[in-house]
Amino acid sequence: MNIFRLTVIKFCIVFFIPLKVYSQSTEIYTDLRGNKYAAINDKGMVKYKVEDRSKNTNFRSYIQLYKYDSNDNPQAEKDENGNDVFVYRTTRHTERQKEGGCDWKVSGYFLVSPDIVNKEGAAKAQTMDWASANGYLTSANSNVYSTPSFAVTKGCAAYRGKDGLDETGTWRVPTRGECALILLFYKKMEETQETTGFQPFALSPKDLTYYWSATEKGGDSKDAWSMRLYADDKMTGYGLNTGYFDKEKKEYYLRCIRDIP
């Protein structure tokens, strides 16, 4: 067994057992407009590890929205009356319970985007920095989780679902714990391709494919957690990862999730 598989299995043993009593499953979810998605249902898990994210007011923060001008300088967004605009974003956090607290539980029921999402929120396989993936100004790439942050409509915050009609900000980047669930079930979700259009996670037959999580590395302003996969999980496997200067210097791919109450 390789180190990648050991990483995620070790986390899952601590986070998700006892599986003999409690379970998670993949489902096909149909929204009100008839769009079909692969979904992960965790509502059979131990209750203290699962929550309805919409009812946890600490999971999201209400922060000021910015946009980039033609020179890539941030400018505050204004409404029609000239007032500052505020939006919700996932509260910045680390894997430590007392540092934001967002990775201590997982969403009870969530959809996974069928496509890789680019920086502009479109279905396209392009890498990006951590802050853009999470809908923050790029200054978030080099400061700690507790630093006051500002939003931009990028990454998952810009993604609007399969038909492009979901409200901006309804999709988000999965936390480290939710990434662990995705790693457990990604093959099952890929099997729904004919029904949901779900595209493979691994993009190369021989090289690792990395995806961002929303969770930053505790005690480190320059790193964040990610998930990594090979095309053949029997050959080399998958795992959760935090590298050297990932948040500050690396660009990874993005898969988004949406909470279902």
Side-chain angles (χ1 to χ4, degrees):
M1 184 176 291
N2 59 78
I3 189 170
F4 304 140
R5 190 182 296 276
L6 281 171
T7 301
V8 71
I9 287 178
K10 181 179 179 181
F11 178 77
C12 290
I13 288 173
V14 173
F15 204 92
F16 299 122
I17 61 171
L19 294 180
K20 292 182 179 179
V21 180
Y22 303 99
S23 64
Q24 311 85 43
S25 63
T26 56
E27 299 179 357
I28 293 177
Y29 176 90
T30 305
D31 70 13
L32 294 176
R33 298 187 300 276
N35 299 301
K36 296 183 183 298
Y37 293 92
I40 296 178
N41 189 337
D42 306 324
K43 293 182 178 179
M45 279 177 55
V46 286
K47 291 184 178 180
Y48 68 88
K49 289 296 185 184
V50 180
E51 69 177 0
D52 179 349
R53 296 296 204 192
S54 66
K55 295 181 180 179
N56 180 355
T57 57
N58 295 321
F59 184 74
R60 298 194 303 166
S61 298
Y62 199 50
I63 61 176
Q64 189 175 353
L65 180 65
Y66 278 69
K67 62 181 178 181
Y68 293 106
D69 63 19
S70 58
N71 296 315
D72 284 333
N73 295 315
Q75 304 290 333
E77 284 271 19
K78 302 291 182 179
D79 64 17
E80 58 185 12
N81 297 316
N83 300 313
D84 291 334
V85 177
F86 289 79
V87 294
Y88 284 103
R89 290 290 182 270
T90 300
T91 300
R92 291 181 62 183
H93 62 280
T94 78
E95 77 280 7
R96 299 174 180 176
Q97 185 179 4
K98 294 183 179 181
E99 294 183 349
C102 297
D103 192 45
W104 185 241
K105 295 184 178 183
V106 294
S107 176
Y109 193 14
F110 61 91
L111 314 181
V112 181
S113 64
D115 297 291
I116 298 172
V117 175
N118 72 3
K119 186 185 292 188
E120 304 306 319
K124 190 172 183 179
Q126 292 179 332
T127 59
M128 71 199 75
D129 62 282
W130 179 86
S132 296
N134 284 274
Y136 288 108
L137 285 178
T138 54
S139 56
N141 288 325
S142 57
N143 57 41
V144 297
Y145 80 97
S146 56
T147 306
S149 300
F150 301 95
V152 288
T153 307
K154 298 289 184 182
C156 287
Y159 180 62
R160 303 187 64 184
K162 292 175 69 172
D163 60 7
L165 296 178
D166 289 343
E167 291 185 22
T168 56
T170 55
W171 291 78
R172 61 178 178 84
V173 183
T175 64
R176 184 186 66 140
E178 290 156 349
C179 283
L181 282 168
I182 290 171
L183 289 172
L184 287 175
F185 292 116
Y186 79 97
K187 287 293 185 183
K188 288 291 185 182
M189 290 188 287
E190 289 176 354
E191 291 172 3
T192 71
Q193 183 175 24
E194 185 174 340
T195 302
T196 66
F198 201 94
Q199 299 301 306
F201 271 87
L203 299 181
S204 170
K206 61 179 182 178
D207 297 319
L208 282 164
T209 303
Y210 287 83
Y211 290 85
W212 285 120
S213 87
T215 306
E216 300 171 63
K217 181 69 171 64
D220 189 346
S221 64
K222 299 180 174 70
D223 292 323
W225 288 87
S226 60
M227 51 182 172
R228 54 186 178 183
L229 310 92
Y230 272 101
D232 185 353
D233 68 341
K234 294 180 181 178
M235 176 184 73
T236 308
Y238 51 80
L240 295 169
N241 177 73
T242 179
Y244 188 63
F245 290 129
D246 275 14
K247 186 158 71 84
E248 187 174 67
K249 297 182 178 180
K250 302 291 180 63
E251 291 195 349
Y252 294 150
Y253 291 104
L254 180 63
R255 212 75 176 234
C256 305
I257 69 172
R258 180 176 179 178
D259 301 303
I260 301 299

